[in-house]
Amino acid sequence: MTPDALGFALAPQHLVVLPVLLPLATAAVMLLAGTRRRGAQALLNLASTSVNLQVALLLLAQVAAVAQAGTAAGAADTAQAGAAGALAVYLPGNWQVPLGIALVADRLSALMLVLAGGVALASLLFAIARWHLAGVYFHVLFQLQLMGLNGAFLTGDLFNLFVFFEVLLAASYGLLLHGGGRQRVRAGLHYVAVNLLASLLFLIGVAVLYGVAGTLNMADLALKLREVPAGDRGLLHAGAAILAVAFLAKAALWPLNFWLPPAYAAASTPVAGLFVILTKVGVYALLRLWTLCFAPGAGESALFGSAALVWGGLVTLAFGSVAMLASQHLARLAGYSVITSSGTLIAALGFNEPALSGGALYYMASSTLAGCALFLLVELLERARRMEVDTPRLDDPRRVLPTFTDAEQRPPVGVNLDDEEQVLIGRAIPAALAFLGVGFTLCALVIAGLPPLSGFVGKVAMLSTLLYVQGWAAWTLFALLILSGLAAATALLRVGMRCFWTLQGEPARLRVVETLPVGLLLAACALLVVRGEDALRYTRATAEALHRPGPYMDAVLRAQPVPPPSPAAAGETAP
């Protein structure tokens, strides 16, 4: 079904709930079907994940079209109407806000849905090659993970944010242990312990905020926090700080990120690729709640914790950059690149500059896609290294080199030969080696922020804004963005030399289903450059809407339940 056909079949309000219901129904069907039909489960999982990505793209296209129409009108009131119209609110229980559950789709949530759907589809394609057979309930857990991600991005209240957090974390526990092994169990236990503690802090913070404000709906909470009396202001800040610690632990802020590199390195390859989006859930929650509840118009609580976000993000960025330089294992290096990305996003958020946040959102999309591609390449590169180890080296006495005893076998005079006295001219590069080399190079360019790919565009967008921001923190972030790119380029270049320049054996043979997701992710990064102006316009409009949350609050609080049918209408439809 095409996105246009899907849009005609379902109203925008119903599209909002589909990213939650679709993976939930798919997981239920696969559970009822049993565990023996792995092939049927893989096809169903692939179809459901593909439709999920289509729905996310349709939601993003709708909110972008409404926002562009409001901006083109030119009038201030029309722009405000366009901003409010770029939101779709769905009330699953048909209760009045703030009493009932509300699902809200706006520019930011639509962007996060597309990123989650793209990463999930790429990871699933890679898993279908062989990894999905390593565990019984892989496909069920994968769909539950996707449901938790989508629900966290769409929910409009804190309690259901906690519920969806627990759903995605419970699924991630099983996915992390997928494939078994002592190393995965050890890393999985650490991962579970840290996230259980973070969930406890989450629940405590939510309870404190509810005790202070009497509501958990995010829009209503932002409105009532401005009216909190001075005597309860300290309790409000304490609850917000506890909640922020839970989010920052999930976002891998230093020193709460010690669990991430070993957990992601121990996970199976498709699971590690999917986990790239998990840290962005913590960043999303911070971005959503901080811009809503502690906006400049929030009175005495305006910009609460901004300095902690800025300097915590800067330290995380510096830590991740140094750790990338020190890493000798490619999977751990990829994990530290995720930490570097999180530090950049959190630091940019704390400045409360819409232009800087817009560049950071573009950078987040680019780094998420490239990080997933790098994790998928890890297994392919390590497979090539294992084959190189199993192949006798040129200086191995067991390797028999050809000798030229016959005059007909002697090469022509003046022709370049390799160490085996084979002619170099006209020799083709193996397709697998060429793909690995090009794919790794493109990933390195995006992660390091080098031209001409999307990582460079995102960093330039942030650097150009920081030139006009006053203070030492802005100049520190400016310098760290440049130095972190240099550190990432150096670390990835060292890994590339070890993986390609010293390769002595035959390169690994790759399956198309393994190369396709990497190619699609890198093509998406290239598309961000080709359509860079449109992408930056979208992320900047998203940042403007986040830092001016009035239309979001109005749209959510004015959402009305569907009225019940009148008795006359019910009588007319009765048999």
Side-chain angles (χ1 to χ4, degrees), residues 413-462:
V413 179
V415 175
N416 292 329
L417 305 177
D418 62 6
D419 292 338
E420 295 182 348
E421 299 186 6
Q422 298 294 320
V423 179
L424 286 172
I425 298 176
R427 185 182 301 177
I429 299 176
L433 182 61
F435 175 82
L436 291 176
V438 173
F440 181 80
T441 301
L442 294 178
C443 279
L445 290 176
V446 176
I447 292 173
L450 298 177
L453 294 182
S454 54
F456 176 74
V457 177
K459 284 198 173 184
V460 168
M462 291 187 287

Side-chain angles (χ1 to χ4, degrees), residues 289-309:
L289 285 173
W290 192 74
T291 54
L292 266 178
C293 299
F294 302 107
E300 296 180 8
S301 297
L303 303 181
F304 169 72
S306 60
L309 292 177

Side-chain angles (χ1 to χ4, degrees), residues 158 161-162 165 198-206 243 246-247 250:
L158 279 176
L161 180 62
F162 173 78
F165 256 102
S199 297
L200 177 61
L201 294 176
F202 192 155
L203 200 57
I204 294 173
V206 167
L243 192 61
F247 291 149
K250 299 177 187 296

Side-chain angles (χ1 to χ4, degrees), residues 97-260:
V97 175
L99 299 178
I101 300 171
L103 300 179
V104 187
D106 66 341
R107 296 179 185 90
L108 179 60
S109 57
L111 174 63
M112 300 306 297
L113 286 176
V114 170
L115 288 178
V119 167
L121 182 59
S123 301
L124 179 59
L125 284 172
F126 194 95
I128 288 176
R130 67 186 186 96
W131 272 110
H132 74 113
L133 300 174
V136 178
Y137 294 104
F138 173 81
H139 295 289
V140 176
L141 292 172
F142 191 94
Q143 285 296 312
L144 292 177
Q145 175 87 85
L146 191 56
M147 172 200 165
L149 286 169
N150 293 341
F153 295 141
L154 288 171
T155 185
D157 63 275
L158 279 176
F159 179 77
N160 284 283
L161 180 62
F162 173 78
V163 171
F164 285 119
F165 256 102
E166 294 309 302
V167 170
L168 69 90
L169 286 176
S172 70
Y173 299 154
L175 288 175
L176 180 59
L177 298 175
H178 177 73
R182 181 176 181 181
Q183 184 179 2
R184 286 196 182 98
V185 172
R186 184 191 304 113
L189 290 176
H190 295 165
Y191 176 81
V192 170
V194 170
N195 281 280
L196 286 178
L197 179 60
S199 297
L200 177 61
L201 294 176
F202 192 155
L203 200 57
I204 294 173
V206 167
V208 173
L209 290 180
Y210 182 75
V212 172
T215 183
L216 290 178
N217 182 277
M218 295 182 189
D220 192 43
L221 182 66
L223 192 64
K224 291 184 177 179
L225 287 185
R226 303 176 184 182
E227 304 172 358
V228 171
D232 294 336
R233 188 70 58 176
L235 188 60
L236 163 65
H237 291 171
I242 294 173
L243 192 61
V245 170
F247 291 149
L248 292 172
K250 299 177 187 296
L253 186 81
W254 186 88
L256 306 174
N257 52 17
F258 62 90
W259 55 270
L260 190 148

